[in-house]
Amino acid sequence: MARDINQRLQQLRTRRDGTGGTVNEGFTLDSLFAKSALPVELWESRGKADQPHTRYALGSMQAVSDTYTKVSKETAFRVANQLKDRLAKRGIVAEFELQGSVPLDVHIKGVSDVDLLTLASELFSYDVKGFKALHGKYCNPAKRTALEVLIELRGHVETDLADAFSAAKVDKTGAKAVKISGGSLARDVDVVPAVWFDTAQYQLTGLASDRGTKILDKKASKTIENQPFRHIELIGARCDKIGGGLRKAIRLCKNIKADSDRNITLPSFDIASTMYHADMKALRLGSFYELSILAETQRHLDYLACNHGVAKTLYVPDGSRLIFDTNEKLRSLNDLSRDMDELLDAVYAEHTPAYLAQYLMSDKRQAISKLAA
């Protein structure tokens, strides 16, 4: 974490309002938002003048403005509309869905890139152990494999994006996504070719959130099964039950990672999955005492960092894999935990005139969890 709190606050503002020069060429905040002055957000006026760490902690939890998020989604669907028409001319019927941090509302950048699933409707695959499969409900086998369809779709996506947005940059080097940026696009969009995958759970429920996808790993020339909508549904539902505290904890961790002087490489998906296992009763207190979210986030990360054996037993929300499946992820967990320790300690000091460094972290957490700021 950058040690200078004023620098951290400026970095936080820059991420949230997009003034750091990351808006694509041809777009400015003035052109996007009718030349109105950038508003001062509520979190910037919270806490006293001598409590910048408190302000940073609170700001890091907040959702990005709906205005910025709307632009991100609209840009993705603009790309989708171009692809839909061009693929249709090739005889390919495509469906489009958003995945990742933006639809889950845990993105931390005002100018945030967007993941756009581009699903070929020609075929879908399914779990052969599912109810419908075992009862012979899938009786028309596809003429081609998912890998064949995805390789073809990937090639068309690369060509059609370049044709549709001639002034934009199309990066074809990604294993799973084709990134398009610049030109007339207000946001970067990662286009992910995919086909549907009917999971065993989806075969029972028919719920959209239970349906999976298969995407292409171009470099390995293989398909990968994902459940992006299940991830969004599980985290979103758990968060909604406790008044929003889980999303705030995830955003807090992601902002800490973004500002860290340490090399934290833990992906956003795994950060969200980690906080999914936190104490929801403690995060629920954030509806009344928002700094209790900082207290529980620090406690949870500290516990896992001190107990790698426990950390290595935790699964991502959909149960498809372990979260901490590499030593590098465990190292990043330790670094994220240290940064969170430092932030909690600094916030505690701002609210405690008789601050003593030797006080136990558990005592500091308890004090912070009951602060109104």
Side-chain angles (χ1 to χ4, degrees):
M1 180 185 296
R3 293 298 179 263
D4 181 80
I5 186 57
N6 291 319
Q7 178 186 350
R8 270 184 273 164
L9 283 167
Q10 184 56 50
Q11 289 171 177
L12 178 61
R13 293 186 187 102
T14 297
R15 272 195 302 279
R16 294 179 62 81
D17 65 26
T19 55
T22 56
V23 177
N24 289 334
E25 183 179 357
F27 280 83
T28 64
L29 291 173
D30 282 347
S31 66
L32 287 174
F33 304 124
K35 298 185 178 181
S36 60
L38 290 170
V40 175
E41 295 189 281
L42 179 61
W43 65 267
E44 296 185 72
S45 61
R46 296 180 66 181
K48 299 178 181 177
D50 59 350
Q51 295 176 338
H53 291 89
T54 299
R55 195 154 48 253
Y56 175 82
L58 294 170
S60 293
M61 298 176 194
Q62 308 310 314
V64 168
S65 165
D66 288 343
T67 303
Y68 295 109
T69 301
K70 181 180 178 181
V71 173
S72 295
K73 292 180 178 179
E74 288 177 346
T75 304
F77 289 125
R78 181 182 166 207
V79 171
N81 287 334
Q82 285 290 334
L83 282 176
K84 183 176 182 178
D85 291 343
R86 291 171 185 271
L87 290 171
K89 292 178 181 178
R90 301 178 184 273
I92 299 173
V93 178
E95 302 173 60
F96 300 89
E97 299 286 349
L98 298 183
Q99 67 174 8
S101 295
V102 170
L104 183 53
D105 194 21
V106 294
H107 53 301
I108 61 172
K109 295 180 180 179
V111 182
S112 183
D113 57 354
V114 195
D115 286 353
L116 177 69
L117 282 168
T118 300
L119 295 132
S121 300
E122 173 186 335
L123 89 167
F124 58 86
S125 53
Y126 56 89
D127 187 332
V128 296
K129 297 179 181 179
F131 178 84
K132 291 179 69 174
L134 292 174
H135 287 77
K137 302 298 183 181
Y138 297 114
C139 53
N140 294 314
K143 297 179 181 179
R144 297 196 294 165
T145 67
L147 180 60
E148 291 170 334
V149 170
L150 286 173
I151 289 174
E152 180 186 64
L153 179 60
R154 171 73 184 239
H156 291 327
V157 165
E158 292 177 353
T159 299
D160 289 346
L161 286 176
D163 291 343
F165 301 96
S166 57
K169 176 183 177 182
V170 178
D171 182 354
K172 306 174 184 179
T173 62
K176 302 171 185 176
V178 183
K179 180 181 286 292
I180 182 167
S181 59
S184 63
L185 297 174
R187 300 288 189 271
D188 296 353
V189 180
D190 290 326
V191 180
V192 183
V195 295
W196 289 112
F197 175 68
D198 288 5
T199 65
Q201 186 70 13
Y202 176 74
Q203 292 179 45
L204 282 174
T205 68
L207 295 175
S209 58
D210 287 333
R211 202 173 194 190
T213 64
K214 279 190 176 182
I215 65 174
L216 173 68
D217 183 333
K218 181 181 178 181
K219 294 181 179 178
S221 191
K222 66 177 184 179
T223 63
I224 301 172
E225 293 175 10
N226 282 333
Q227 289 187 261
F229 316 115
R230 184 67 175 155
H231 179 79
I232 292 170
E233 171 68 21
L234 288 170
I235 291 180
R238 181 164 288 191
C239 181
D240 292 344
K241 287 181 180 178
I242 62 167
L246 178 53
R247 286 188 179 92
K248 288 184 178 182
I250 294 168
R251 296 186 201 109
L252 174 61
C253 289
K254 291 177 67 172
N255 276 298
I256 291 290
K257 172 189 172 181
D259 290 329
S260 181
D261 288 336
R262 299 179 171 100
N263 182 30
I264 300 173
T265 58
L266 196 62
S268 174
F269 184 94
D270 290 334
I271 288 175
S273 298
T274 300
M275 295 314 301
Y276 183 80
H277 295 283
D279 184 338
M280 293 301 115
K281 290 182 180 179
L283 289 180
R284 187 192 297 272
L285 290 176
S287 298
F288 309 98
Y289 303 102
E290 207 163 9
L291 287 173
S292 65
I293 294 172
L294 168 61
E296 169 54 19
T297 302
Q298 184 277 329
R299 183 210 63 80
H300 182 56
L301 294 177
D302 180 64
Y303 175 73
L304 295 179
C306 293
N307 296 275
H308 280 182
V310 175
K312 289 191 287 186
T313 68
L314 299 181
Y315 280 82
V316 298
D318 67 23
S320 60
R321 67 166 174 84
L322 293 166
I323 302 172
F324 298 100
D325 50 4
T326 67
N327 289 332
E328 173 61 22
K329 289 184 180 181
L330 289 170
R331 183 201 60 76
S332 287
L333 168 65
N334 291 347
D335 286 342
L336 181 60
S337 177
R338 292 187 186 102
D339 278 347
M340 202 66 67
D341 289 348
E342 292 170 5
L343 179 59
L344 184 138
D345 193 61
V347 170
Y348 177 80
E350 289 177 351
H351 291 266
T352 310
Y355 170 76
L356 294 174
Q358 65 267 30
Y359 280 4
L360 294 175
M361 192 64 79
S362 59
D363 293 330
K364 296 176 183 179
R365 281 199 302 267
Q366 185 176 4
I368 285 175
S369 66
K370 297 178 181 179
L371 289 174

